[in-house]
Amino acid sequence: MIRVESLSKTFHDKKRGEVHALESVSLEVHPREIFGVLGPNGAGKTTLLRLLATVLAPTGGTASINGYDIVREPAKVRASIGFLSGDMGLYGRLTPREILRLFGELGGMRGGALESRIAEMVALLEMQSYADTRADKLSTGMRQRAAIARAMVHDPPVLILDEPSYGLDVPTARLIEKFILDARNRGKCIVFSTHVMEEAEYLCDRIAVIHEGRLRITGTMEDLRAATGKTRLREIFLNLLGIPDTRMEAHA
């Protein structure tokens, strides 16, 4: 469903010069799979997701989503994905229901089918009590639920989620985790970034770790444990980044 081949992105910064945000990354993500992308700040996670979503254009390599090339067929790629970005993509003066109607229409939905889908998304993400309240009046958790519903309203086969649980309380984060698992079980191909190790370990079928724009490892938790000799994902992550575990040092 997602095939990434030597994907690279270089930026030109006035102070730093040429910055290699992503360097020759190759990977695949399959239907009915949750694929986690981990890395420290500035590692290239968000750059990778924005390239896949056609928000950015690559400077090298390419990728295909649902059979469509991100460079040659960006419009078809965008029709195949639901993209959740860090800024949520909500219009403050519209209500969640109005936002879903707008994006559903942009996705080609109309009439009763669209209204039925909006009602389904409102129910799935438990937005009944505020579906008709302006987005700029909502809490962070409410806005995040609405943003995920916006990304899903046209029922795309691929979800690209950039830190979907960022800043959420535990009940809301748990609801979104359940929604992601349900989407996987319905056959969706899901790739998302997170800084929450527990979330990644719980949700992901496979995990990729990116550091300094390069892919360090891809695999299941069992693969990652075998490669590093560590058990917990937090320890595995630090090991791959070459950062010593301070607790182990304290006992040395």
Side-chain angles (χ1 to χ4, degrees):
M1 190 68 73
I2 298 176
R3 179 174 288 109
V4 179
E5 299 176 0
S6 301
L7 196 61
S8 300
K9 180 63 178 178
T10 300
F11 295 99
H12 295 278
D13 184 89
K14 289 183 179 180
K15 293 183 178 180
R16 296 182 294 167
E18 198 170 75
V19 178
H20 300 285
L22 207 67
E23 295 190 61
S24 298
V25 169
S26 297
L27 54 85
E28 291 187 358
V29 189
H30 309 292
R32 205 176 290 272
E33 180 177 39
I34 300 174
F35 188 89
V37 180
L38 309 183
N41 290 335
K45 305 183 305 297
T46 294
T47 298
L48 172 61
L49 299 193
R50 289 180 177 175
L51 286 167
L52 294 179
T54 73
V55 175
L56 298 175
T59 49
T62 190
S64 62
I65 295 180
N66 202 25
Y68 302 118
D69 188 277
I70 62 170
V71 175
R72 298 192 303 269
E73 303 166 291
K76 291 181 179 179
V77 170
R78 289 193 287 271
S80 300
I81 66 172
F83 178 48
L84 176 72
S85 62
D87 62 5
M88 296 188 187
L90 301 180
Y91 298 102
R93 294 186 177 183
L94 298 182
T95 69
R97 197 182 306 275
E98 290 169 337
I99 290 168
L100 295 184
R101 188 172 294 117
L102 170 62
F103 279 87
E105 290 176 351
L106 289 172
M109 303 181 73
R110 297 289 186 277
L114 174 56
E115 295 306 313
S116 177
R117 179 63 174 169
I118 291 170
E120 179 186 4
M121 299 307 299
V122 167
L124 282 172
L125 285 159
E126 299 180 8
M127 299 191 298
Q128 297 92 330
S129 65
Y130 58 87
D132 298 301
T133 301
R134 277 176 43 155
D136 59 7
K137 304 296 184 183
L138 302 179
S139 70
T140 298
M142 292 173 179
R143 287 170 56 82
Q144 190 74 326
R145 295 188 204 189
I148 290 175
R150 173 198 58 77
M152 279 287 292
V153 67
H154 59 305
D155 199 23
V158 177
L159 292 179
I160 300 172
L161 309 175
D162 193 2
E163 298 194 48
S165 63
Y166 177 76
L168 303 184
D169 59 23
V170 173
T172 304
R174 184 175 181 181
L175 174 67
I176 288 176
E177 285 179 355
K178 180 181 183 301
F179 184 83
I180 291 172
L181 287 170
D182 289 345
R184 188 270 307 274
N185 293 337
R186 294 196 304 272
K188 305 297 182 185
C189 171
I190 303 165
V191 57
F192 80 102
S193 71
T194 182
H195 285 291
V196 183
M197 298 294 124
E198 181 185 36
E199 177 181 67
E201 192 164 353
Y202 172 65
L203 287 176
C204 295
D205 300 294
R206 289 189 299 136
I207 292 169
V209 176
I210 294 178
H211 185 41
E212 297 177 340
R214 295 181 178 274
L215 184 64
R216 294 300 174 94
I217 196 170
T218 302
T220 64
M221 278 299 300
E222 289 75 14
D223 295 332
L224 272 57
R225 288 176 179 133
T228 62
K230 305 295 183 179
T231 302
R232 296 176 58 208
L233 184 55
R234 176 184 180 276
E235 298 164 345
I236 292 168
F237 180 74
L238 292 173
N239 179 271
L240 290 168
L241 268 58
I243 300 173
D245 190 324
T246 55
R247 293 173 306 166
M248 296 297 293
E249 288 186 339
H251 289 291

